[in-house]
Amino acid sequence: MVTTVRGRAHSSFSAHPARTVVLAFAVAVMIGTGLLMLPAAAENGGATDVLIALFTSTSAVCVTGLAVVDTGTYWSGFGEGIILALVQVGGFGIMTLASLLALLVSGRLRLRLQLTAQAETKSLGIGDVRRVLLGVAGTTVMVELAVGALLALRFRFGYGHSIGDSAYLGFFHAVSAFNNAGFGLHADSLTRYAQDAWVTLPIAAAVILGGIGFPVLLEMLRHRNRARTTGRKNWTLHTKLTLITTAALLATGTLLTCLMEWTNPATLGAQDVWAKLLNGFFHSAMSRTAGFNSLDIGAMHASTLLMTCMLMFVGGGSAGTAGGIKVTTFAVLAAAMLAEVRGEPTSAVLGRRLGPHVLRQALTVALLGIGLVMAATLALLSVSRAPFEAVLFEVVSAFATVGLSTGITADLPGSAQLVLVALMFIGRIGPITLVSALALRERTRRYELPEERPVIG
């Protein structure tokens, strides 16, 4: 009888697409941890501590970029290759990759693989899965090769690196950027290239493209030819919301970063106007879930750190390599607030009415995110002596899978680093996906309770 119950529970777990995605990411983290613990993965040839390996593996699979050791000096070429592979697999999606391999090998997909791939890529229907998988793979390869080639040329002819080193630097940073991971091979991230637009702008472009989400990228590519012939871009509401909100947040982040740091001698103060605008834009783009920095984060004003936390918490687009609560969630909540202020019975945006279930989902994601951030901040403050703004920044960065840090990551105690590991994992999978994956069963209410309105405010 016990065996039967266990068997049913296991079958129930494996059959649920969201639970399968969670399990796949967990397995990838464990495999990465084991590989990074091998002596060949470390530069000194010694075995790596399990916490360092676990933290690095989680950060790579969850495309975060937080690190407790310097990537370029601690890890060997083999270790860096493992990290890059974990970043690529994590950014592409575990089940998306498995489904693509099955499609390439056998030419068809079983129903369970289609369901899991649909859950991970946010495909609209089962019939879209094959097209989405091939589109995701093609877009990933195209962007990473293009950005990697541009960076390699710049490193070769602008900085005098050898052909091999230039190619390695270029494509490592390109893969890391498009997957919004933020892993770099320099201890100072990209601060040495702060005034080099030929390095920062291609990386920012890759981050933005990866961050707006694969559904948006594929729709833009799909409708490109139609727009040429008809002159109209028949984009869905999701695509419009994502693009408009992304552009607005990028502009807002650039403006606020420049205003707050314009005279700070440790960040923008010593730069000319062009460099200030360039680095203000770069910081805004990186705050959307990439962990690269061209400015010293630890030297920023507390107001800039708080503004960056807000940008990180919102994150990027759905079903992409970005983290956070997602720009569409933010836009839906803003539309609901605007409708309530106007006294309108329903929420609408861009000529479309939003269903009540969409509002409930957005509110759930946002409140779960806030709750996790607050709980983790309290936990870290209780075991660490780091200042509040640095701890909050670290927690939001981990939850939103951004990877920016004020420099306290390596100095945190082991218990605090484990909290960050959990946050990175939850942030990559998503609160709604994680909750549905852990739920034992779904419940439907067969009756409605009497309505009553409590006093609000």
Side-chain angles (χ1 to χ4, degrees):
M1 187 68 177
V2 175
T3 304
T4 303
V5 172
R6 289 180 178 177
R8 289 178 179 175
H10 180 268
S11 176
S12 175
F13 186 91
S14 60
H16 198 295
R19 296 169 188 167
T20 306
V21 172
V22 173
L23 181 62
F25 269 86
V27 170
V29 169
M30 293 300 102
I31 293 175
T33 302
L35 291 174
L36 290 175
M37 290 178 65
L38 296 175
E43 188 68 40
N44 60 10
T48 299
D49 180 76
V50 62
L51 182 57
I52 294 177
L54 174 63
F55 193 99
T56 305
S57 177
T58 306
S59 184
V61 172
C62 299
V63 290
T64 304
L66 286 175
V68 290
V69 293
D70 179 52
T71 304
T73 58
Y74 184 89
W75 303 107
S76 64
F78 175 71
E80 292 171 2
I82 293 173
I83 292 173
L84 196 63
L86 293 175
V87 165
Q88 186 70 81
V89 170
F92 192 82
I94 311 295
M95 297 313 301
T96 303
L97 180 61
S99 302
L100 179 64
L101 291 176
L103 181 63
L104 294 176
V105 172
S106 63
R108 64 186 182 89
L109 288 175
R110 294 183 178 179
L111 179 59
R112 180 174 296 180
L113 268 181
Q114 292 187 57
L115 290 173
T116 52
Q118 181 189 9
E120 193 173 53
T121 61
K122 301 292 189 299
S123 303
L124 297 178
I126 294 297
D128 296 330
V129 172
R130 179 189 297 266
R131 175 176 51 80
V132 168
L133 290 176
L134 295 176
V136 168
T139 303
T140 300
V141 172
M142 179 178 64
V143 174
E144 290 178 353
L145 286 178
V147 174
L150 285 175
L151 293 176
L153 290 173
R154 182 57 178 169
F155 290 139
R156 170 59 177 160
F157 297 106
Y159 295 92
H161 293 294
S162 65
I163 296 177
D165 288 344
S166 298
Y168 183 65
L169 283 171
F171 286 100
F172 188 100
H173 286 89
V175 172
S176 183
F178 182 71
N179 289 285
N180 279 215
F183 278 97
L185 296 176
H186 305 305
D188 60 352
S189 190
L190 297 179
T191 56
R192 65 184 63 187
Y193 308 116
Q195 301 192 41
D196 190 347
W198 292 101
V199 173
T200 56
L201 288 184
I203 288 179
V207 168
I208 294 171
L209 288 175
I212 63 177
F214 289 115
V216 174
L217 286 177
L218 296 181
E219 184 172 350
M220 291 172 65
L221 292 173
R222 187 166 62 250
H223 290 293
R224 181 180 58 183
N225 293 332
R226 183 182 303 176
R228 288 177 178 175
T229 56
T230 64
R232 298 178 59 187
K233 297 181 176 67
N234 297 320
W235 291 340
T236 62
L237 178 62
H238 170 75
T239 296
K240 293 177 182 178
L241 273 182
T242 301
L243 294 177
I244 292 173
T245 310
T246 296
L249 291 176
L250 280 172
T252 302
T254 302
L255 177 62
L256 292 178
T257 301
C258 290
L259 287 176
M260 295 174 181
E261 298 294 322
W262 193 269
T263 59
N264 186 348
T267 55
L268 295 180
Q271 300 178 1
D272 58 33
V273 174
W274 160 249
K276 289 179 179 180
L277 295 175
L278 173 65
N279 286 284
F281 169 76
F282 188 79
H283 178 73
S284 179
M286 297 306 105
S287 300
R288 307 301 309 291
T289 69
F292 295 112
N293 62 282
S294 61
L295 302 173
D296 184 1
I297 303 297
M300 289 181 170
H301 296 310
S303 57
T304 310
L305 294 180
L306 180 59
M307 180 274 298
T308 305
C309 283
M310 291 187 283
L311 289 177
M312 292 192 298
F313 186 78
V314 174
S318 299
T321 58
I325 63 171
K326 304 300 188 293
V327 293
T328 45
T329 302
F330 176 76
V332 167
L333 291 176
M337 292 173 59
L338 183 60
E340 189 63 28
V341 169
R342 291 177 173 177
E344 298 175 349
T346 58
S347 302
V349 60
L350 297 177
R352 294 292 186 271
R353 180 171 56 86
L354 301 176
H357 67 284
V358 175
L359 300 180
R360 290 196 302 269
Q361 289 176 358
L363 187 61
T364 302
V365 169
L367 290 181
L368 278 176
I370 293 173
L372 285 170
V373 167
M374 293 299 101
T377 301
L378 288 173
L380 263 65
L381 286 173
S382 64
V383 298
S384 171
R385 296 182 178 179
F388 169 75
E389 61 269 19
V391 170
L392 177 63
F393 192 93
E394 198 82 6
V395 167
V396 176
S397 181
F399 168 74
T401 66
V402 178
L404 292 175
S405 175
T406 57
I408 67 171
T409 313
D411 298 327
L412 293 173
S415 57
Q417 292 177 359
L418 287 176
V419 172
L420 295 180
V421 167
L423 275 176
M424 289 187 289
F425 188 82
I426 294 172
R428 180 65 181 100
I429 302 303
I432 289 294
T433 305
L434 186 63
V435 169
S436 65
L438 297 178
L440 294 178
R441 59 195 175 104
E442 296 180 356
R443 298 180 180 180
T444 57
R445 180 177 294 173
R446 301 181 183 276
Y447 58 90
E448 287 295 335
L449 297 172
E451 181 179 345
E452 187 170 347
R453 295 187 177 184
V455 177
I456 303 297

